[in-house]
């Protein structure tokens, strides 16, 4: 198969599509958190949250969300860097709002999912599962803020 040359000024997006619909199935994780993860969640300061990578190439990683905006993507300067072809360079942002944290998809190829549903934007509730490419993460709010943000 012959391929046309791309203009020198154009950088093609090399994000690969995720695959078949079966790859998009939503099977929630149980509450099998390690003691270290439980300790990390309980130590969260007010107005902060934590993303735990539950599956994917960096399973077990933890990301503290304590800024107004956290970027997620394959771009090396992303706040949460996922080096995988199923993740767009600028895939999503998580923004802290007065009512809680919101994920906003940045027109990624494979989309952003919350609890198995593809979303353009969604308010994240405690225990929500977020999927970015082949990464599955669980979102946790600071216990200090649970009474304030628990109902979304």
């Amino acid at each position: 198969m012959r391929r046309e040359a791309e203009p020198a000024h154009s950088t093609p997006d090399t994000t690969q599509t995720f695959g078949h619909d079966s790859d998009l199935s939503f099977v929630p994780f149980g509450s099998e958190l390690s003691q270290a993860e439980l300790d990390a969640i309980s130590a969260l300061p007010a107005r902060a949250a934590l993303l735990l990578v539950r599956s994917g190439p960096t399973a077990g990683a933890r990301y503290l969300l304590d800024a107004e905006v956290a970027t997620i993507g394959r771009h090396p300067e992303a706040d949460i860097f996922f080096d995988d072809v199923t993740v767009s360079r600028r895939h999503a942002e998580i923004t802290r709002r007065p009512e809680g944290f919101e994920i906003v998809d940045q027109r990624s190829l494979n989309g952003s999912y919350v609890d198995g549903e593809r979303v353009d934007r969604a308010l994240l509730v405690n225990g929500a599962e977020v999927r970015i490419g082949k990464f599955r993460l669980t979102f946790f709010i600071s216990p200090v803020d649970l009474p304030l943000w628990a109902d979304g």
Side-chain angles (χ1 to χ4, degrees):
M1 177 179 256
R2 193 167 167 213
R3 205 172 160 166
E4 299 267 337
E6 300 216 13
H9 66 280
S10 172
T11 304
D13 186 353
T14 56
T15 304
Q16 292 181 359
T17 55
F18 193 64
H20 304 289
D21 286 341
S22 62
D23 295 332
L24 304 179
S25 63
F26 173 62
V27 179
F29 284 102
S31 58
E32 66 281 351
L33 296 174
S34 70
Q35 189 59 49
E37 291 169 331
L38 291 169
D39 291 345
I41 294 165
S42 65
L44 286 170
R47 297 194 36 82
L50 189 70
L51 278 175
L52 298 177
V53 181
R54 304 304 295 275
S55 71
T58 59
R62 293 180 243 167
Y63 296 97
L64 177 64
L65 302 172
D66 61 351
E68 295 301 314
V69 177
T71 59
I72 303 171
R74 201 178 67 231
H75 192 283
E77 293 179 9
D79 298 315
I80 299 173
F81 172 63
F82 290 143
D83 189 15
D84 189 85
V85 295
T86 62
V87 177
S88 296
R89 284 188 293 269
R90 288 173 177 79
H91 199 102
E93 290 181 351
I94 295 181
T95 305
R96 183 170 48 200
R97 302 201 146 322
E99 63 274 14
F101 288 83
E102 180 180 49
I103 187 166
V104 181
D105 187 78
Q106 299 296 300
R107 299 189 324 219
S108 64
L109 181 61
N110 287 315
S112 299
Y113 292 76
V114 175
D115 292 335
E117 298 289 323
R118 188 171 182 155
V119 297
D120 290 327
R121 64 184 333 125
L123 198 59
L124 296 172
V125 297
N126 197 51
E129 182 183 289
V130 176
R131 199 182 76 236
I132 303 290
K134 64 171 71 167
F135 296 82
R136 288 175 67 185
L137 309 104
T138 306
F139 172 83
F140 294 97
I141 297 168
S142 168
V144 175
D145 296 322
L146 272 176
L148 181 64
W149 290 344
D151 296 326

